[in-house]
Amino acid sequence: MPHLTIQVTPNVSIAHEESLLKSLNKVLWDSGQFKQQTDIKARILPIQTFLVGVEDDEQANGFIYAHLKMMTGRDIAVRNQLAELLVATIENQLSAAQSGRSALQICVEVEEISAVYHKKCLVNSISNQYLPWALPLLVF
């Protein structure tokens, strides 16, 4: 944890997706809120079908929706700070590439999830066996 999922409409231009993800992960890491760099996981999911408003048939409006999920324990001020950092980073990364293409909305949601619903299992990729200190994956 945390997990950052970015959803992007096709009319939003991201020149280098990996660079955007790296910048977002770095700003999260630099916040000092997370224990290990490798705990931060990010992905971009393209959206094919979307509508902004009621009558945007020309798709003149686009958006980026960033959803940050993390474990509980941070107060509202910290969660707001993380949201603001993500918005600023996205804005800085996309301002030149997006210029004049479409109206862009940047939305960030920060969600806490309970440890009750979060399970983590690390698998040694070399031998494909569970690491001795990792909890076994629970299957329901």
Side-chain angles (χ1 to χ4, degrees), residues 7-51:
Q7 295 180 17
V8 182
T9 58
N11 59 348
V12 174
S13 177
I14 301 176
H16 302 284
E17 291 181 346
E18 293 83 9
S19 295
L20 174 62
L21 291 177
K22 190 170 192 173
S23 295
L24 293 168
N25 280 10
K26 182 166 179 6
V27 77
L28 289 173
W29 174 247
D30 290 346
S31 74
Q33 293 297 316
F34 307 104
K35 293 180 183 177
Q36 296 180 20
Q37 288 182 355
T38 55
D39 287 344
I40 303 168
K41 298 159 211 67
R43 74 226 8 104
I44 294 177
L45 302 175
I47 299 171
Q48 297 306 315
T49 305
F50 74 99
L51 179 64

mmCIF file of all heavy atoms in Angstrom, residues 7-51:
data_model
loop_
_atom_site.group_PDB
_atom_site.id
_atom_site.type_symbol
_atom_site.label_atom_id
_atom_site.label_comp_id
_atom_site.label_asym_id
_atom_site.label_seq_id
_atom_site.Cartn_x
_atom_site.Cartn_y
_atom_site.Cartn_z
ATOM 1 N N GLN A 7 -7.096 6.998 -14.120
ATOM 2 C CA GLN A 7 -7.970 6.765 -15.269
ATOM 3 C C GLN A 7 -7.902 8.000 -16.155
ATOM 4 O O GLN A 7 -7.976 9.130 -15.661
ATOM 5 C CB GLN A 7 -9.397 6.517 -14.817
ATOM 6 C CG GLN A 7 -9.554 5.254 -14.001
ATOM 7 C CD GLN A 7 -10.986 5.034 -13.558
ATOM 8 O OE1 GLN A 7 -11.923 5.612 -14.081
ATOM 9 N NE2 GLN A 7 -11.155 4.184 -12.572
ATOM 10 N N VAL A 8 -7.763 7.771 -17.464
ATOM 11 C CA VAL A 8 -7.545 8.861 -18.407
ATOM 12 C C VAL A 8 -8.463 8.706 -19.609
ATOM 13 O O VAL A 8 -8.529 7.634 -20.208
ATOM 14 C CB VAL A 8 -6.081 8.868 -18.905
ATOM 15 C CG1 VAL A 8 -5.822 10.018 -19.844
ATOM 16 C CG2 VAL A 8 -5.118 8.895 -17.743
ATOM 17 N N THR A 9 -9.146 9.797 -19.963
ATOM 18 C CA THR A 9 -9.977 9.771 -21.168
ATOM 19 C C THR A 9 -9.069 9.864 -22.400
ATOM 20 O O THR A 9 -7.974 10.415 -22.332
ATOM 21 C CB THR A 9 -10.995 10.931 -21.154
ATOM 22 O OG1 THR A 9 -10.302 12.174 -21.050
ATOM 23 C CG2 THR A 9 -11.975 10.784 -20.002
ATOM 24 N N PRO A 10 -9.519 9.324 -23.535
ATOM 25 C CA PRO A 10 -8.652 9.277 -24.718
ATOM 26 C C PRO A 10 -8.321 10.651 -25.311
ATOM 27 O O PRO A 10 -7.380 10.757 -26.088
ATOM 28 C CB PRO A 10 -9.441 8.423 -25.717
ATOM 29 C CG PRO A 10 -10.829 8.384 -25.221
ATOM 30 C CD PRO A 10 -10.788 8.641 -23.754
ATOM 31 N N ASN A 11 -9.055 11.687 -24.946
ATOM 32 C CA ASN A 11 -8.754 13.011 -25.484
ATOM 33 C C ASN A 11 -7.763 13.785 -24.625
ATOM 34 O O ASN A 11 -7.520 14.963 -24.850
ATOM 35 C CB ASN A 11 -10.038 13.819 -25.682
ATOM 36 C CG ASN A 11 -10.820 14.006 -24.405
ATOM 37 O OD1 ASN A 11 -10.549 13.371 -23.406
ATOM 38 N ND2 ASN A 11 -11.811 14.872 -24.440
ATOM 39 N N VAL A 12 -7.167 13.119 -23.654
ATOM 40 C CA VAL A 12 -6.119 13.712 -22.824
ATOM 41 C C VAL A 12 -4.783 13.148 -23.289
ATOM 42 O O VAL A 12 -4.618 11.939 -23.414
ATOM 43 C CB VAL A 12 -6.350 13.403 -21.325
ATOM 44 C CG1 VAL A 12 -5.178 13.887 -20.494
ATOM 45 C CG2 VAL A 12 -7.651 14.032 -20.852
ATOM 46 N N SER A 13 -3.853 14.033 -23.543
ATOM 47 C CA SER A 13 -2.552 13.629 -24.065
ATOM 48 C C SER A 13 -1.534 13.471 -22.938
ATOM 49 O O SER A 13 -1.251 14.424 -22.214
ATOM 50 C CB SER A 13 -2.059 14.684 -25.066
ATOM 51 O OG SER A 13 -0.790 14.350 -25.532
ATOM 52 N N ILE A 14 -1.005 12.257 -22.806
ATOM 53 C CA ILE A 14 0.089 11.999 -21.870
ATOM 54 C C ILE A 14 1.272 11.532 -22.722
ATOM 55 O O ILE A 14 1.258 10.422 -23.249
ATOM 56 C CB ILE A 14 -0.274 10.931 -20.827
ATOM 57 C CG1 ILE A 14 -1.493 11.360 -20.020
ATOM 58 C CG2 ILE A 14 0.911 10.663 -19.909
ATOM 59 C CD1 ILE A 14 -1.970 10.326 -19.027
ATOM 60 N N ALA A 15 2.260 12.380 -22.857
ATOM 61 C CA ALA A 15 3.388 12.083 -23.737
ATOM 62 C C ALA A 15 4.166 10.850 -23.269
ATOM 63 O O ALA A 15 4.512 9.987 -24.070
ATOM 64 C CB ALA A 15 4.313 13.288 -23.836
ATOM 65 N N HIS A 16 4.448 10.772 -21.983
ATOM 66 C CA HIS A 16 5.234 9.660 -21.440
ATOM 67 C C HIS A 16 4.564 9.155 -20.177
ATOM 68 O O HIS A 16 4.763 9.706 -19.090
ATOM 69 C CB HIS A 16 6.666 10.112 -21.149
ATOM 70 C CG HIS A 16 7.377 10.641 -22.349
ATOM 71 N ND1 HIS A 16 7.870 9.823 -23.332
ATOM 72 C CD2 HIS A 16 7.638 11.905 -22.746
ATOM 73 C CE1 HIS A 16 8.413 10.553 -24.281
ATOM 74 N NE2 HIS A 16 8.286 11.830 -23.946
ATOM 75 N N GLU A 17 3.771 8.100 -20.312
ATOM 76 C CA GLU A 17 3.018 7.567 -19.183
ATOM 77 C C GLU A 17 3.930 7.120 -18.045
ATOM 78 O O GLU A 17 3.633 7.367 -16.875
ATOM 79 C CB GLU A 17 2.116 6.416 -19.636
ATOM 80 C CG GLU A 17 0.986 6.869 -20.525
ATOM 81 C CD GLU A 17 0.075 5.744 -20.965
ATOM 82 O OE1 GLU A 17 0.448 4.550 -20.817
ATOM 83 O OE2 GLU A 17 -1.030 6.050 -21.453
ATOM 84 N N GLU A 18 5.042 6.469 -18.389
ATOM 85 C CA GLU A 18 5.952 5.992 -17.345
ATOM 86 C C GLU A 18 6.541 7.163 -16.560
ATOM 87 O O GLU A 18 6.723 7.078 -15.343
ATOM 88 C CB GLU A 18 7.078 5.146 -17.957
ATOM 89 C CG GLU A 18 6.608 3.836 -18.546
ATOM 90 C CD GLU A 18 6.064 3.983 -19.975
ATOM 91 O OE1 GLU A 18 6.215 5.078 -20.580
ATOM 92 O OE2 GLU A 18 5.465 3.026 -20.465
ATOM 93 N N SER A 19 6.841 8.262 -17.245
ATOM 94 C CA SER A 19 7.382 9.450 -16.566
ATOM 95 C C SER A 19 6.359 10.045 -15.610
ATOM 96 O O SER A 19 6.708 10.481 -14.513
ATOM 97 C CB SER A 19 7.803 10.508 -17.582
ATOM 98 O OG SER A 19 8.867 10.044 -18.357
ATOM 99 N N LEU A 20 5.100 10.062 -16.031
ATOM 100 C CA LEU A 20 4.044 10.562 -15.151
ATOM 101 C C LEU A 20 3.939 9.688 -13.910
ATOM 102 O O LEU A 20 3.903 10.193 -12.787
ATOM 103 C CB LEU A 20 2.704 10.616 -15.878
ATOM 104 C CG LEU A 20 1.504 10.998 -15.010
ATOM 105 C CD1 LEU A 20 1.675 12.406 -14.426
ATOM 106 C CD2 LEU A 20 0.205 10.892 -15.805
ATOM 107 N N LEU A 21 3.917 8.365 -14.099
ATOM 108 C CA LEU A 21 3.824 7.456 -12.953
ATOM 109 C C LEU A 21 5.021 7.612 -12.016
ATOM 110 O O LEU A 21 4.869 7.628 -10.789
ATOM 111 C CB LEU A 21 3.707 6.005 -13.415
ATOM 112 C CG LEU A 21 2.393 5.622 -14.106
ATOM 113 C CD1 LEU A 21 2.440 4.178 -14.573
ATOM 114 C CD2 LEU A 21 1.206 5.873 -13.208
ATOM 115 N N LYS A 22 6.198 7.753 -12.593
ATOM 116 C CA LYS A 22 7.400 7.918 -11.771
ATOM 117 C C LYS A 22 7.322 9.210 -10.958
ATOM 118 O O LYS A 22 7.663 9.236 -9.775
ATOM 119 C CB LYS A 22 8.647 7.912 -12.650
ATOM 120 C CG LYS A 22 9.929 7.828 -11.875
ATOM 121 C CD LYS A 22 11.106 7.592 -12.792
ATOM 122 C CE LYS A 22 12.316 7.222 -11.979
ATOM 123 N NZ LYS A 22 13.440 6.819 -12.806
ATOM 124 N N SER A 23 6.853 10.285 -11.576
ATOM 125 C CA SER A 23 6.706 11.564 -10.871
ATOM 126 C C SER A 23 5.691 11.463 -9.744
ATOM 127 O O SER A 23 5.909 12.002 -8.653
ATOM 128 C CB SER A 23 6.271 12.664 -11.840
ATOM 129 O OG SER A 23 7.260 12.900 -12.794
ATOM 130 N N LEU A 24 4.585 10.774 -9.998
ATOM 131 C CA LEU A 24 3.557 10.608 -8.975
ATOM 132 C C LEU A 24 4.067 9.747 -7.817
ATOM 133 O O LEU A 24 3.859 10.080 -6.645
ATOM 134 C CB LEU A 24 2.291 10.015 -9.585
ATOM 135 C CG LEU A 24 1.568 10.927 -10.580
ATOM 136 C CD1 LEU A 24 0.512 10.159 -11.352
ATOM 137 C CD2 LEU A 24 0.969 12.129 -9.868
ATOM 138 N N ASN A 25 4.739 8.652 -8.133
ATOM 139 C CA ASN A 25 5.301 7.810 -7.080
ATOM 140 C C ASN A 25 6.341 8.571 -6.264
ATOM 141 O O ASN A 25 6.408 8.443 -5.044
ATOM 142 C CB ASN A 25 5.931 6.546 -7.666
ATOM 143 C CG ASN A 25 4.912 5.485 -8.000
ATOM 144 O OD1 ASN A 25 3.706 5.726 -7.972
ATOM 145 N ND2 ASN A 25 5.389 4.306 -8.347
ATOM 146 N N LYS A 26 7.140 9.391 -6.943
ATOM 147 C CA LYS A 26 8.177 10.154 -6.242
ATOM 148 C C LYS A 26 7.562 11.168 -5.291
ATOM 149 O O LYS A 26 8.024 11.314 -4.156
ATOM 150 C CB LYS A 26 9.095 10.851 -7.232
ATOM 151 C CG LYS A 26 10.212 11.622 -6.548
ATOM 152 C CD LYS A 26 11.291 12.024 -7.495
ATOM 153 C CE LYS A 26 12.421 12.817 -6.876
ATOM 154 N NZ LYS A 26 12.463 13.014 -5.469
ATOM 155 N N VAL A 27 6.517 11.873 -5.717
ATOM 156 C CA VAL A 27 5.896 12.863 -4.833
ATOM 157 C C VAL A 27 5.244 12.175 -3.629
ATOM 158 O O VAL A 27 5.287 12.700 -2.513
ATOM 159 C CB VAL A 27 4.920 13.783 -5.602
ATOM 160 C CG1 VAL A 27 3.596 13.112 -5.900
ATOM 161 C CG2 VAL A 27 4.698 15.072 -4.853
ATOM 162 N N LEU A 28 4.693 10.984 -3.840
ATOM 163 C CA LEU A 28 4.145 10.231 -2.708
ATOM 164 C C LEU A 28 5.265 9.804 -1.765
ATOM 165 O O LEU A 28 5.149 9.932 -0.544
ATOM 166 C CB LEU A 28 3.360 9.007 -3.202
ATOM 167 C CG LEU A 28 2.030 9.309 -3.883
ATOM 168 C CD1 LEU A 28 1.433 8.030 -4.480
ATOM 169 C CD2 LEU A 28 1.051 9.962 -2.919
ATOM 170 N N TRP A 29 6.356 9.307 -2.317
ATOM 171 C CA TRP A 29 7.481 8.888 -1.489
ATOM 172 C C TRP A 29 8.063 10.070 -0.713
ATOM 173 O O TRP A 29 8.334 9.979 0.482
ATOM 174 C CB TRP A 29 8.557 8.224 -2.348
ATOM 175 C CG TRP A 29 9.790 7.905 -1.571
ATOM 176 C CD1 TRP A 29 11.023 8.472 -1.716
ATOM 177 C CD2 TRP A 29 9.910 6.967 -0.503
ATOM 178 N NE1 TRP A 29 11.905 7.934 -0.806
ATOM 179 C CE2 TRP A 29 11.248 7.006 -0.047
ATOM 180 C CE3 TRP A 29 9.028 6.091 0.122
ATOM 181 C CZ2 TRP A 29 11.715 6.212 0.998
ATOM 182 C CZ3 TRP A 29 9.491 5.298 1.168
ATOM 183 C CH2 TRP A 29 10.817 5.363 1.591
ATOM 184 N N ASP A 30 8.257 11.190 -1.403
ATOM 185 C CA ASP A 30 8.840 12.379 -0.779
ATOM 186 C C ASP A 30 7.949 12.967 0.322
ATOM 187 O O ASP A 30 8.423 13.746 1.149
ATOM 188 C CB ASP A 30 9.144 13.452 -1.825
ATOM 189 C CG ASP A 30 10.300 13.057 -2.744
ATOM 190 O OD1 ASP A 30 11.038 12.101 -2.424
ATOM 191 O OD2 ASP A 30 10.457 13.715 -3.793
ATOM 192 N N SER A 31 6.684 12.584 0.344
ATOM 193 C CA SER A 31 5.778 13.078 1.388
ATOM 194 C C SER A 31 6.151 12.543 2.770
ATOM 195 O O SER A 31 5.739 13.094 3.783
ATOM 196 C CB SER A 31 4.329 12.695 1.066
ATOM 197 O OG SER A 31 4.106 11.311 1.301
ATOM 198 N N GLY A 32 6.905 11.442 2.804
ATOM 199 C CA GLY A 32 7.304 10.851 4.071
ATOM 200 C C GLY A 32 6.220 10.011 4.738
ATOM 201 O O GLY A 32 6.382 9.578 5.875
ATOM 202 N N GLN A 33 5.152 9.735 4.021
ATOM 203 C CA GLN A 33 4.027 9.010 4.600
ATOM 204 C C GLN A 33 4.108 7.498 4.438
ATOM 205 O O GLN A 33 3.290 6.780 4.996
ATOM 206 C CB GLN A 33 2.714 9.511 3.981
ATOM 207 C CG GLN A 33 2.374 10.929 4.349
ATOM 208 C CD GLN A 33 2.151 11.062 5.838
ATOM 209 O OE1 GLN A 33 1.497 10.246 6.477
ATOM 210 N NE2 GLN A 33 2.721 12.106 6.427
ATOM 211 N N PHE A 34 5.090 7.006 3.685
ATOM 212 C CA PHE A 34 5.124 5.580 3.375
ATOM 213 C C PHE A 34 6.480 4.990 3.760
ATOM 214 O O PHE A 34 7.508 5.657 3.668
ATOM 215 C CB PHE A 34 4.791 5.362 1.901
ATOM 216 C CG PHE A 34 3.488 6.036 1.531
ATOM 217 C CD1 PHE A 34 3.474 7.224 0.817
ATOM 218 C CD2 PHE A 34 2.276 5.518 1.962
ATOM 219 C CE1 PHE A 34 2.279 7.864 0.514
ATOM 220 C CE2 PHE A 34 1.082 6.146 1.668
ATOM 221 C CZ PHE A 34 1.081 7.327 0.938
ATOM 222 N N LYS A 35 6.475 3.721 4.180
ATOM 223 C CA LYS A 35 7.655 3.097 4.772
ATOM 224 C C LYS A 35 8.717 2.696 3.758
ATOM 225 O O LYS A 35 9.902 2.778 4.035
ATOM 226 C CB LYS A 35 7.239 1.874 5.596
ATOM 227 C CG LYS A 35 6.423 2.230 6.817
ATOM 228 C CD LYS A 35 6.031 1.001 7.591
ATOM 229 C CE LYS A 35 5.149 1.389 8.772
ATOM 230 N NZ LYS A 35 4.689 0.217 9.501
ATOM 231 N N GLN A 36 8.290 2.196 2.610
ATOM 232 C CA GLN A 36 9.243 1.724 1.603
ATOM 233 C C GLN A 36 8.802 2.211 0.227
ATOM 234 O O GLN A 36 7.608 2.260 -0.069
ATOM 235 C CB GLN A 36 9.301 0.200 1.567
ATOM 236 C CG GLN A 36 9.804 -0.431 2.834
ATOM 237 C CD GLN A 36 9.827 -1.954 2.726
ATOM 238 O OE1 GLN A 36 9.823 -2.517 1.639
ATOM 239 N NE2 GLN A 36 9.845 -2.619 3.865
ATOM 240 N N GLN A 37 9.769 2.524 -0.624
ATOM 241 C CA GLN A 37 9.443 2.960 -1.980
ATOM 242 C C GLN A 37 8.641 1.903 -2.723
ATOM 243 O O GLN A 37 7.725 2.235 -3.474
ATOM 244 C CB GLN A 37 10.714 3.275 -2.761
ATOM 245 C CG GLN A 37 11.407 4.531 -2.333
ATOM 246 C CD GLN A 37 12.630 4.821 -3.179
ATOM 247 O OE1 GLN A 37 13.027 4.038 -4.039
ATOM 248 N NE2 GLN A 37 13.246 5.965 -2.935
ATOM 249 N N THR A 38 8.983 0.645 -2.506
ATOM 250 C CA THR A 38 8.317 -0.434 -3.234
ATOM 251 C C THR A 38 6.892 -0.696 -2.746
ATOM 252 O O THR A 38 6.171 -1.494 -3.343
ATOM 253 C CB THR A 38 9.137 -1.737 -3.157
ATOM 254 O OG1 THR A 38 9.381 -2.047 -1.775
ATOM 255 C CG2 THR A 38 10.455 -1.595 -3.901
ATOM 256 N N ASP A 39 6.492 -0.034 -1.676
ATOM 257 C CA ASP A 39 5.100 -0.129 -1.235
ATOM 258 C C ASP A 39 4.172 0.658 -2.152
ATOM 259 O O ASP A 39 2.980 0.382 -2.226
ATOM 260 C CB ASP A 39 4.939 0.407 0.195
ATOM 261 C CG ASP A 39 5.511 -0.525 1.244
ATOM 262 O OD1 ASP A 39 5.753 -1.711 0.924
ATOM 263 O OD2 ASP A 39 5.726 -0.062 2.383
ATOM 264 N N ILE A 40 4.719 1.650 -2.859
ATOM 265 C CA ILE A 40 3.910 2.533 -3.709
ATOM 266 C C ILE A 40 3.758 1.886 -5.082
ATOM 267 O O ILE A 40 4.741 1.632 -5.770
ATOM 268 C CB ILE A 40 4.566 3.923 -3.832
ATOM 269 C CG1 ILE A 40 4.780 4.536 -2.454
ATOM 270 C CG2 ILE A 40 3.719 4.831 -4.723
ATOM 271 C CD1 ILE A 40 5.666 5.772 -2.445
ATOM 272 N N LYS A 41 2.510 1.632 -5.461
ATOM 273 C CA LYS A 41 2.223 0.992 -6.747
ATOM 274 C C LYS A 41 1.270 1.876 -7.538
ATOM 275 O O LYS A 41 0.259 2.327 -7.011
ATOM 276 C CB LYS A 41 1.606 -0.391 -6.520
ATOM 277 C CG LYS A 41 2.544 -1.333 -5.794
ATOM 278 C CD LYS A 41 1.761 -2.454 -5.157
ATOM 279 C CE LYS A 41 2.367 -2.970 -3.902
ATOM 280 N NZ LYS A 41 2.382 -2.073 -2.775
ATOM 281 N N ALA A 42 1.594 2.113 -8.799
ATOM 282 C CA ALA A 42 0.772 2.994 -9.626
ATOM 283 C C ALA A 42 0.530 2.355 -10.982
ATOM 284 O O ALA A 42 1.335 1.580 -11.481
ATOM 285 C CB ALA A 42 1.466 4.351 -9.803
ATOM 286 N N ARG A 43 -0.619 2.713 -11.535
ATOM 287 C CA ARG A 43 -0.965 2.210 -12.864
ATOM 288 C C ARG A 43 -1.862 3.227 -13.550
ATOM 289 O O ARG A 43 -2.542 4.006 -12.895
ATOM 290 C CB ARG A 43 -1.658 0.857 -12.780
ATOM 291 C CG ARG A 43 -3.081 0.977 -12.292
ATOM 292 C CD ARG A 43 -3.667 0.104 -11.253
ATOM 293 N NE ARG A 43 -3.052 -0.835 -10.436
ATOM 294 C CZ ARG A 43 -2.783 -0.643 -9.140
ATOM 295 N NH1 ARG A 43 -3.014 0.508 -8.560
ATOM 296 N NH2 ARG A 43 -2.287 -1.584 -8.401
ATOM 297 N N ILE A 44 -1.863 3.183 -14.884
ATOM 298 C CA ILE A 44 -2.743 4.024 -15.689
ATOM 299 C C ILE A 44 -3.710 3.107 -16.425
ATOM 300 O O ILE A 44 -3.290 2.148 -17.075
ATOM 301 C CB ILE A 44 -1.955 4.879 -16.701
ATOM 302 C CG1 ILE A 44 -1.095 5.899 -15.960
ATOM 303 C CG2 ILE A 44 -2.898 5.571 -17.686
ATOM 304 C CD1 ILE A 44 -0.225 6.759 -16.842
ATOM 305 N N LEU A 45 -5.003 3.422 -16.303
ATOM 306 C CA LEU A 45 -6.038 2.663 -16.995
ATOM 307 C C LEU A 45 -6.738 3.596 -17.981
ATOM 308 O O LEU A 45 -7.389 4.555 -17.567
ATOM 309 C CB LEU A 45 -7.066 2.112 -16.000
ATOM 310 C CG LEU A 45 -6.526 1.217 -14.893
ATOM 311 C CD1 LEU A 45 -7.642 0.843 -13.928
ATOM 312 C CD2 LEU A 45 -5.888 -0.020 -15.472
ATOM 313 N N PRO A 46 -6.612 3.320 -19.269
ATOM 314 C CA PRO A 46 -7.311 4.172 -20.233
ATOM 315 C C PRO A 46 -8.820 3.922 -20.185
ATOM 316 O O PRO A 46 -9.262 2.806 -19.932
ATOM 317 C CB PRO A 46 -6.724 3.747 -21.573
ATOM 318 C CG PRO A 46 -6.191 2.369 -21.350
ATOM 319 C CD PRO A 46 -5.836 2.272 -19.887
ATOM 320 N N ILE A 47 -9.576 4.981 -20.416
ATOM 321 C CA ILE A 47 -11.037 4.891 -20.477
ATOM 322 C C ILE A 47 -11.428 5.041 -21.943
ATOM 323 O O ILE A 47 -11.040 6.004 -22.594
ATOM 324 C CB ILE A 47 -11.684 6.027 -19.655
ATOM 325 C CG1 ILE A 47 -11.277 5.928 -18.198
ATOM 326 C CG2 ILE A 47 -13.199 6.003 -19.805
ATOM 327 C CD1 ILE A 47 -11.691 7.134 -17.383
ATOM 328 N N GLN A 48 -12.179 4.115 -22.465
ATOM 329 C CA GLN A 48 -12.588 4.202 -23.863
ATOM 330 C C GLN A 48 -13.904 4.954 -24.034
ATOM 331 O O GLN A 48 -14.057 5.752 -24.936
ATOM 332 C CB GLN A 48 -12.700 2.798 -24.468
ATOM 333 C CG GLN A 48 -11.373 2.067 -24.500
ATOM 334 C CD GLN A 48 -10.272 2.856 -25.183
ATOM 335 O OE1 GLN A 48 -10.458 3.437 -26.235
ATOM 336 N NE2 GLN A 48 -9.109 2.905 -24.556
ATOM 337 N N THR A 49 -14.860 4.668 -23.180
ATOM 338 C CA THR A 49 -16.180 5.280 -23.286
ATOM 339 C C THR A 49 -16.390 6.194 -22.094
ATOM 340 O O THR A 49 -16.231 5.770 -20.950
ATOM 341 C CB THR A 49 -17.276 4.197 -23.305
ATOM 342 O OG1 THR A 49 -16.985 3.274 -24.356
ATOM 343 C CG2 THR A 49 -18.641 4.818 -23.523
ATOM 344 N N PHE A 50 -16.737 7.451 -22.374
ATOM 345 C CA PHE A 50 -16.914 8.416 -21.291
ATOM 346 C C PHE A 50 -17.807 9.555 -21.771
ATOM 347 O O PHE A 50 -18.018 9.745 -22.962
ATOM 348 C CB PHE A 50 -15.562 8.972 -20.820
ATOM 349 C CG PHE A 50 -14.960 9.947 -21.786
ATOM 350 C CD1 PHE A 50 -15.089 11.318 -21.576
ATOM 351 C CD2 PHE A 50 -14.284 9.512 -22.905
ATOM 352 C CE1 PHE A 50 -14.548 12.221 -22.466
ATOM 353 C CE2 PHE A 50 -13.737 10.410 -23.798
ATOM 354 C CZ PHE A 50 -13.868 11.776 -23.583
ATOM 355 N N LEU A 51 -18.322 10.291 -20.832
ATOM 356 C CA LEU A 51 -19.093 11.499 -21.117
ATOM 357 C C LEU A 51 -18.881 12.466 -19.971
ATOM 358 O O LEU A 51 -18.968 12.081 -18.805
ATOM 359 C CB LEU A 51 -20.584 11.170 -21.257
ATOM 360 C CG LEU A 51 -21.519 12.348 -21.532
ATOM 361 C CD1 LEU A 51 -21.221 12.986 -22.885
ATOM 362 C CD2 LEU A 51 -22.975 11.900 -21.460
#
